[in-house]
Amino acid sequence: MAGTIGRLQKVDLRELWPDEARDFTAWLAENLDILEESLGITLSLEERESKVGPFAADIVAADEQGGIVVIENQLEKTDHDHLGKLLTYLVNVGAKKAVWITPDPRPEHVKVMEWLNEVTPPDMAFYLIKVEAYRIGDSPPAPLFSIVARPSEEGKAAGRVREEMAERHKLRWEFWQGLLDKIRAQNISLHANLSPTTDNWLSTGAGKSGLYYTYKITKNWTAVEFNIDRGPGREEETERIFKELYDKREEIEEKFGGPLEWVRVEGQRLRTIRCKLEGGGLADQERWAEIQEAMIETMQRLHRAVHSYLRQF
């Protein structure tokens, strides 16, 4: 006959630890080995209620490499006050790891901890731990720590990607600002009324709906384009305009002074006449002035080559 199987019963944490600081923090300081099992980090107690100015960090510990770990306890739903304390203690004690323990993590605070793991350096780590307690029958209650947020290679990689994207956005804005400054200095009306953006393109209308001239930049090359997109439901009109210009391809390329790419991608509305410049791109910051001048000169030639044919549309 099978033995009796017990049932887990959840225990109110305040039944075990009525006072967060006096009871729970004191217990945890003497039982860090239980928390270690969930974290996967060896912990040794450095100080309890460690003074940080007028505040006190619940627990300051050390990991196996001797790095400082700050632990903030909260036996209630997470709030901004404890998040602020955690970060304050982390900075002021010189910690690289932070642990926030709570029975009720708010989704908003979970996202904050995940974000911190993504954007901080690889040697920093933020853990959000959910604490619960259970008993089986008349057994003594047992604590259960489960990880809600922790650092990961994927998270750190995502953070690096976002950081690189932010840097690219900054560089694009600076590049377009320089390009627009040169356009205005040369009294060129095309694109002159635009503001710099963080996009990899800068477009202005050609005086007809759905027709526009575009500067484009990537890491290693740039391009100037004439684009055609009359919008949803007008694909046949877009194709007709492109075809009529393509039929005059030789004349347009002669006026332009060289070959052009005539781009039609199956399944896409957009049609493009493009000149790709291989002289460098966003990564060649020391050559931006030269690249910008080449783009402006090429756009002027493309504009002269195409614009006279647009009246018929």
Side-chain angles (χ1 to χ4, degrees):
M1 184 176 178
T4 302
I5 297 176
R7 177 176 294 180
L8 284 175
Q9 296 176 325
K10 193 167 185 178
V11 179
D12 186 346
L13 295 182
R14 294 293 183 177
E15 179 183 326
L16 300 182
W17 303 292
D19 184 83
E20 180 184 296
R22 186 174 60 250
D23 300 313
F24 180 71
T25 298
W27 172 85
L28 184 62
E30 295 180 1
N31 294 273
L32 286 176
D33 57 313
I34 299 177
L35 181 60
E36 287 177 353
E37 295 173 6
S38 295
L39 290 178
I41 300 172
T42 301
L43 296 172
S44 58
L45 180 65
E46 292 285 312
E47 192 175 5
R48 179 184 153 204
E49 299 297 334
S50 178
K51 288 295 181 183
V52 180
F55 310 107
D58 289 342
I59 293 175
V60 175
D63 62 18
E64 55 267 35
Q65 285 85 36
I68 302 298
V69 181
V70 64
I71 301 173
E72 176 68 9
N73 302 318
Q74 184 178 6
L75 291 187
E76 55 195 19
K77 185 175 289 190
T78 56
D79 57 34
H80 295 344
D81 178 59
H82 282 77
L83 174 60
K85 288 177 179 177
L86 182 73
L87 297 177
T88 299
Y89 303 151
L90 174 83
V91 172
N92 282 274
V93 304
K96 293 291 187 179
K97 294 182 175 71
V99 181
W100 189 3
I101 300 175
T102 174
D104 193 357
R106 295 178 189 268
E108 297 83 1
H109 294 133
V110 175
K111 289 182 179 179
V112 170
M113 296 295 275
E114 291 173 343
W115 177 81
L116 286 168
N117 279 316
E118 291 179 2
V119 301
T120 52
D123 61 342
M124 298 195 71
F126 294 82
Y127 297 87
L128 184 56
I129 305 295
K130 184 175 182 179
V131 59
E132 300 170 285
Y134 293 89
R135 64 160 54 97
I136 301 176
D138 296 327
S139 70
L144 174 66
F145 292 109
S146 52
I147 295 180
V148 179
R150 68 181 305 165
S152 67
E153 284 300 319
E154 295 80 7
K156 292 294 185 184
R160 288 192 294 271
V161 168
R162 270 200 284 271
E163 186 177 343
E164 291 169 4
M165 287 180 64
E167 178 61 20
R168 281 201 299 274
H169 287 175
K170 175 176 176 289
L171 290 176
R172 286 175 190 162
W173 193 95
E174 292 175 356
F175 182 89
W176 294 133
Q177 182 65 70
L179 181 99
L180 291 169
D181 287 345
K182 288 180 174 59
I183 287 173
R184 291 165 188 145
Q186 297 176 40
N187 293 317
I188 298 170
S189 59
L190 195 65
H191 296 90
N193 63 339
L194 300 181
S195 298
T197 76
T198 59
D199 297 317
N200 73 330
W201 49 267
L202 195 68
S203 290
T204 192
K208 303 284 184 179
S209 174
L211 308 180
Y212 45 99
Y213 293 99
T214 301
Y215 287 106
K216 187 170 288 185
I217 188 167
T218 70
K219 182 178 179 181
N220 298 311
W221 54 267
T222 61
V224 299
E225 299 177 344
F226 176 72
N227 299 120
I228 309 164
D229 181 4
R230 299 287 271 181
R234 302 175 71 181
E235 290 82 0
E236 290 184 5
E237 190 176 341
T238 294
E239 177 61 23
R240 177 181 60 81
I241 293 172
F242 181 77
K243 186 178 182 303
E244 289 186 21
L245 290 172
Y246 188 82
D247 289 343
K248 299 177 175 63
R249 177 179 178 178
E250 291 185 5
E251 295 176 24
I252 291 172
E253 291 186 347
E254 183 178 354
K255 288 183 179 180
F256 175 73
L260 293 164
E261 295 180 55
W262 298 74
V263 184
R264 177 197 284 113
V265 178
E266 192 65 35
Q268 294 185 11
R269 294 197 317 260
L270 184 67
R271 300 291 184 263
T272 300
I273 304 172
R274 174 188 300 141
C275 177
K276 185 176 176 181
L277 289 76
E278 301 286 358
L282 201 65
D284 304 286
Q285 199 164 353
E286 72 285 353
R287 299 182 52 239
W288 277 7
E290 174 188 342
I291 293 168
Q292 290 160 350
E293 291 290 354
M295 292 176 74
I296 294 169
E297 189 273 334
T298 307
M299 178 62 81
Q300 289 296 96
R301 290 193 290 118
L302 180 63
H303 178 256
R304 285 193 294 269
V306 172
H307 209 67
S308 61
Y309 296 97
L310 303 186
R311 297 189 186 94
Q312 65 196 55
F313 307 127

